[in-house]
Amino acid sequence: MLQNQGREMMIVTSGAVAFGKQRLRHEILLSQSVRQALHSGHSQLKDMSVPVLEARACAAAGQSGLMALYEAMFTQYSTCTAQVLVTNLDFHDDQKRQNLNSTLQELLRMNIVPIINTNDAVVPPPEPNSDLQGVNVISIKDNDSLAARLAVEMKADLLIALSDVEGLYNSPPGTDDAKLIDIFYPGDQQSITYGTKSRVGIGGMEAKVKAALWALQGGTSVVIANGTNPKVTGHVITDIVEGKKVGTFFSEIKPAGPSVEEQTEMARNSGRTLASLHPDQRSEIICHLADLLTERKEDILAANKMDMDLAVSAGHLPSAMLKRLSLSPAKLNSLAIGLRQIAVSAQDSVGRVLRRTRVAHNLELEQITVPIGLLLVIFEARPDCLPQVSALSIASGNALLLKGGKEASSTNRVLHQLTQEALSLHGVSQAVQLVSTREEVEDLCRLDKMIDLIIPRGSSQLVRDIQRAAKGIPVLGHSEGICHVYVDADASADKVMKIVRDSKCDYPAACNAMETLLVHRDILRTPLFDQIIDLLRTERVKIHAGPRFASYLTFSPSEAKSLRTEYGDLECCMEVVDSMQEAVDHIHKYGSSHTDVIITDNEDTAEQFLQQLDSACVFWNASSRFADGYRFGLGAEVGISTARIHARGPVGLEGLLTTKWVLRGDGHTAADFSEHGNMKYLHENLPVGQSLAGQRDSN
């Protein structure tokens, strides 16, 4: 594929010896069976074992088979191949080296892929410890050293060394502490512990690293990656060429800041200290952050102006995104108020006892709240998200990894500095990390052994992309906010006008804004219906008619392309239903389980709606815009979840906690409660507010 894109490709391959060994074994067994048949009338041949095959003979017999395989594969793509066999001596003789270079250049010029291998039929044994004697000398012992020598000789831009592991690890893969190294620098060699050599061939990871460093020194970029599993790594070569984070990349330049893996490690370690702080200390950190938002507002607003100016001049952000990107003194004051609410909630969040049980005499069980661990929050052009989410993470004792949109990079940087300044009050400044490198979402989702929960804040496309990429990491959020408002036959005109206007027009870009207006059939051609239409026209809301609504009208608005659309603007779908039950069925079919509203004065109808609808938020005679953590009194929210497990609706502090069980005994064993034991289960529920120490004293 890359060859057909116009790139010049060369392949260094092994396999001739293996091909030949298989072929020669077959030939030897065949000849032995023939000889046995010839001697059938005489004494039977006793020895049918295959003799030890000499490697050079195997290589000579296997070269044709190896090339036949490559030719068969490349012919399918109308690509021509050519075999080139080399030895170490070809690189030490200037004339031979020039001839080799000239041959390869000519093949590449003719759009032919050279398939290069050592001429193992004549090659002498490798000389021990003769490699790495300088830029101009590397002993060709294996395919890794051959590839490195050719890459430098041909001035290749990139050398990809495929292995049977994901890349270079700091210790042998499979060991407990083994970590994949994304970027390897020549100065890091002392930190690597190598395992055993390759099961096949004469190389190993150590040989690959030596060859990679030699090629890097000669001006060729190198990546070591896994090429053994086609289902997983079928696109490994093209992914590397496209710059995706695959395998281990060798670089001579070490960046000034920590890598995202190092940031994740720092956040997790500091997060454990954060979780162990007294609730008053966590509250103090959040209050200090709230103070900094108002005290340093000039710095924040100056950074935000830089982001706004860049976004406006670029001209690619829609008005709704620009509104989210913009900060103001009023917005900062509102943020500070929300943070102080969170500080109050932090007093009894972590370590709260939810349940106490006396399992048996002197054996008592507690279920207590604990942090989830390390959160990854990915948000687009909404810098106000950073202090909100940071405060909630601090209050819940969670470590936090933040990835903000590049549109708000200057604002995010200042807000993160203030967050770390507040955290430094109690020595946990590293608990909240801002990823400033150009990490793709897919790369962050690879950190499944470090990250416990991903929370996306942004467009439905962002959420869907993260849900696809997050293999093994739970994602808390919603991909769409298709919110419905149903106007029942018994609705009062005043409530309808207020709720419809607020739900659609207050903030059309919000995920809790109305996207579909369902109207009971009896309201059509009534003064109330005319008022609704006039309201939407006055507010410049573009109406898209559902199929039933369009059938009632002679001249209808443009018909909705889909009844499952999140417009995120001054647009909405309008549809007609025959009953409350039909409205519920419509919402179940086309909604996103986010927030749905009924407007009616009929209490029975309202209660049925509230009970039957299974959305995360279901409201009666209230705007859909109330689906918000701040309005719910949560202080702030990390997002709105439409998931069926863990947290649903606006997720505040409680949604960032999980629980653990603590059992306190006195030498108890399971055998004590067996048929022959001397203890019995009590399973008595104890008051949550009563201390276990007090219980023991009373006993």
Side-chain angles (χ1 to χ4, degrees):
M1 194 167 94
L2 294 171
Q3 180 79 5
N4 291 336
Q5 289 174 4
R7 291 183 169 88
E8 294 178 330
M9 310 294 298
M10 297 190 298
I11 294 178
V12 172
T13 183
S14 58
V17 173
F19 260 93
K21 191 175 288 184
Q22 189 176 27
R23 185 176 174 185
L24 292 181
R25 276 179 173 170
H26 180 266
E27 291 295 327
I28 290 168
L29 288 172
L30 186 64
S31 64
Q32 284 181 341
S33 62
V34 169
R35 275 185 287 157
Q36 185 171 351
L38 291 173
H39 289 79
S40 57
H42 308 285
S43 60
Q44 293 288 324
L45 287 174
K46 295 179 181 178
D47 186 13
M48 282 288 289
S49 62
V50 178
V52 176
L53 297 172
E54 207 272 330
R56 292 188 184 90
C58 291
Q63 288 289 356
S64 59
L66 179 64
M67 274 310 295
L69 175 63
Y70 275 111
E71 285 174 1
M73 291 193 291
F74 274 101
T75 302
Q76 296 178 66
Y77 299 93
S78 303
T79 301
C80 185
T81 59
Q83 184 179 35
V84 179
L85 297 176
V86 297
T87 67
N88 213 6
L89 297 175
D90 295 328
F91 292 97
H92 291 288
D93 185 299
D94 289 343
Q95 186 60 50
K96 287 184 178 181
R97 195 170 75 249
Q98 289 173 16
N99 292 343
L100 174 62
N101 191 308
S102 177
T103 301
L104 292 174
Q105 293 288 5
E106 185 63 14
L107 291 172
L108 293 172
R109 188 186 66 79
M110 293 188 292
N111 202 33
I112 296 172
V113 177
I115 309 291
I116 306 157
N117 195 0
T118 52
N119 190 356
D120 293 323
V122 299
V123 71
E127 299 174 29
N129 304 319
S130 63
D131 58 348
L132 300 176
Q133 295 172 9
V135 175
N136 297 319
V137 180
I138 180 171
S139 175
I140 297 173
K141 300 178 179 181
D142 48 43
N143 281 328
D144 302 317
S145 51
L146 172 58
R149 184 65 198 250
L150 280 167
V152 174
E153 184 72 31
M154 299 298 293
K155 296 182 172 57
D157 298 300
L158 175 64
L159 165 60
I160 299 174
L162 294 177
S163 174
D164 59 355
V165 292
E166 300 307 312
L168 176 61
Y169 288 78
N170 61 350
S171 57
T175 56
D176 289 341
D177 297 324
K179 290 181 183 175
L180 179 65
I181 299 170
D182 289 305
I183 303 178
F184 183 73
Y185 308 98
D188 293 344
Q189 294 180 65
Q190 302 304 318
S191 63
I192 306 298
T193 304
Y194 296 101
T196 56
K197 289 191 174 182
S198 173
R199 183 177 57 84
V200 292
I202 58 173
M205 187 54 73
E206 188 171 7
K208 277 187 168 53
V209 172
K210 285 181 178 179
L213 291 172
W214 192 89
L216 183 68
Q217 190 180 1
T220 297
S221 299
V222 185
V223 174
I224 297 178
N226 190 334
T228 59
N229 189 345
K231 289 183 179 178
V232 178
T233 59
H235 303 289
V236 62
I237 295 171
T238 49
D239 283 349
I240 290 169
V241 172
E242 288 170 8
K244 293 185 180 178
K245 203 168 187 179
V246 179
T248 300
F249 176 70
F250 284 70
S251 173
E252 289 188 298
I253 304 167
K254 195 162 189 172
S259 68
V260 68
E261 291 79 14
E262 290 168 337
Q263 283 187 290
T264 307
E265 190 78 45
M266 288 189 294
R268 180 173 277 280
N269 292 337
S270 192
R272 291 193 174 105
T273 307
L274 173 68
S276 67
L277 294 178
H278 191 275
D280 289 342
Q281 293 174 307
R282 287 193 293 271
S283 294
E284 190 180 354
I285 291 170
I286 299 166
C287 286
H288 187 42
L289 178 56
D291 293 339
L292 289 172
L293 289 180
T294 51
E295 290 171 11
R296 308 273 184 87
K297 65 182 176 185
E298 299 302 329
D299 296 340
I300 300 168
L301 295 174
N304 187 242
K305 186 178 184 304
M306 289 171 59
D307 289 330
M308 287 294 293
D309 290 346
L310 283 172
V312 171
S313 62
H316 63 270
L317 279 188
S319 58
M321 289 279 276
L322 283 172
K323 191 173 180 183
R324 287 175 180 168
L325 177 60
S326 175
L327 291 180
S328 64
K331 219 171 188 179
L332 291 175
N333 287 333
S334 177
L335 272 173
I337 292 168
L339 261 58
R340 291 189 180 95
Q341 287 182 339
I342 296 171
V344 174
S345 305
Q347 292 291 330
D348 61 348
S349 56
V350 181
R352 188 172 74 254
V353 180
L354 302 180
R355 177 175 174 174
R356 273 202 180 104
T357 303
R358 182 183 290 118
V359 179
H361 182 66
N362 277 344
L363 186 63
E364 291 161 352
L365 180 69
E366 284 182 323
Q367 184 184 17
I368 63 171
T369 58
V370 293
I372 289 173
L374 177 60
L375 314 177
L376 167 61
V377 177
I378 302 170
F379 55 101
E380 292 179 318
R382 43 177 80 198
D384 58 332
C385 176
L386 195 152
Q388 283 181 343
V389 172
S390 297
L392 286 167
S393 295
I394 294 164
S396 56
N398 286 293
L400 180 61
L401 197 63
L402 292 159
K403 171 66 174 169
K406 61 180 181 295
E407 304 86 358
S409 57
S410 298
T411 316
N412 288 339
R413 196 179 309 112
V414 173
L415 290 171
H416 178 246
Q417 287 169 356
L418 298 180
T419 304
Q420 289 202 313
E421 185 177 331
L423 285 162
S424 65
L425 271 178
H426 295 290
V428 287
S429 61
Q430 302 303 316
V432 175
Q433 295 285 333
L434 178 66
V435 179
S436 54
T437 55
R438 295 180 63 184
E439 299 290 331
E440 297 295 332
V441 168
E442 286 184 17
D443 297 332
L444 293 169
C445 291
R446 289 170 58 224
L447 303 172
D448 56 314
K449 292 182 180 177
M450 302 289 288
I451 295 168
D452 299 296
L453 180 67
I454 301 176
I455 304 172
R457 296 288 305 272
S459 66
S460 55
Q461 187 59 51
L462 171 74
V463 178
R464 281 194 293 270
D465 289 344
I466 291 169
Q467 287 171 334
R468 259 194 307 271
K471 297 169 183 175
I473 309 176
V475 178
L476 187 149
H478 64 281
S479 58
E480 294 173 305
I482 304 172
C483 303
H484 294 72
V485 173
Y486 164 57
V487 181
D488 187 53
D490 297 323
S492 86
D494 288 344
K495 291 173 186 172
V496 170
M497 301 303 284
K498 286 175 63 180
I499 292 169
V500 169
R501 176 188 282 111
D502 190 69
S503 295
K504 180 71 250 183
C505 308
D506 176 57
Y507 192 1
C511 63
N512 58 12
M514 179 189 80
E515 302 295 2
T516 299
L517 178 62
L518 299 176
V519 178
H520 194 285
R521 185 184 58 186
D522 294 349
I523 293 175
L524 291 177
R525 299 186 178 89
T526 66
L528 174 57
F529 177 75
D530 294 337
Q531 285 178 270
I532 294 171
I533 298 298
D534 289 342
L535 163 69
L536 295 175
R537 282 177 179 162
T538 303
E539 297 288 346
R540 299 183 179 180
V541 177
K542 184 178 180 181
I543 300 172
H544 300 274
R548 284 198 63 190
F549 180 44
S551 69
Y552 282 103
L553 304 173
T554 307
F555 300 101
S556 71
S558 63
E559 194 163 335
K561 293 179 181 177
S562 169
L563 296 176
R564 191 183 283 113
T565 301
E566 183 178 13
Y567 296 100
D569 209 339
L570 285 171
E571 299 179 63
C572 74
C573 174
M574 195 167 180
E575 183 59 308
V576 175
V577 291
D578 289 338
S579 63
M580 180 276 297
Q581 187 59 53
E582 193 172 306
V584 169
D585 293 342
H586 178 101
I587 294 168
H588 281 159
K589 186 173 182 179
Y590 299 110
S592 61
S593 300
H594 191 294
T595 301
D596 299 292
V597 176
I598 182 172
I599 309 174
T600 184
D601 287 342
N602 187 316
E603 187 174 346
D604 290 340
T605 302
E607 288 300 332
Q608 288 180 51
F609 183 90
L610 298 177
Q611 288 171 17
Q612 292 183 31
L613 205 59
D614 62 358
S615 300
C617 299
V618 190
F619 300 161
W620 172 23
N621 289 345
S623 167
S624 62
R625 293 280 290 127
F626 274 103
D628 177 84
Y630 179 76
R631 294 185 174 97
F632 277 16
L634 305 178
E637 65 181 34
V638 292
I640 294 179
S641 172
T642 55
R644 305 284 169 175
I645 56 173
H646 184 53
R648 287 194 88 194
V651 180
L653 186 54
E654 294 293 324
L656 300 182
L657 296 169
T658 183
T659 62
K660 71 177 177 184
W661 295 92
V662 177
L663 184 65
R664 294 179 173 89
D666 189 20
H668 295 77
T669 66
D672 295 336
F673 298 88
S674 67
E675 184 181 352
H676 305 292
N678 58 355
M679 297 197 74
K680 291 183 179 180
Y681 289 112
L682 299 175
H683 291 148
E684 296 175 1
N685 289 329
L686 301 175
V688 170
Q690 190 171 351
S691 71
L692 288 176
Q695 286 290 322
R696 286 197 182 92
D697 292 342
S698 64
N699 289 336

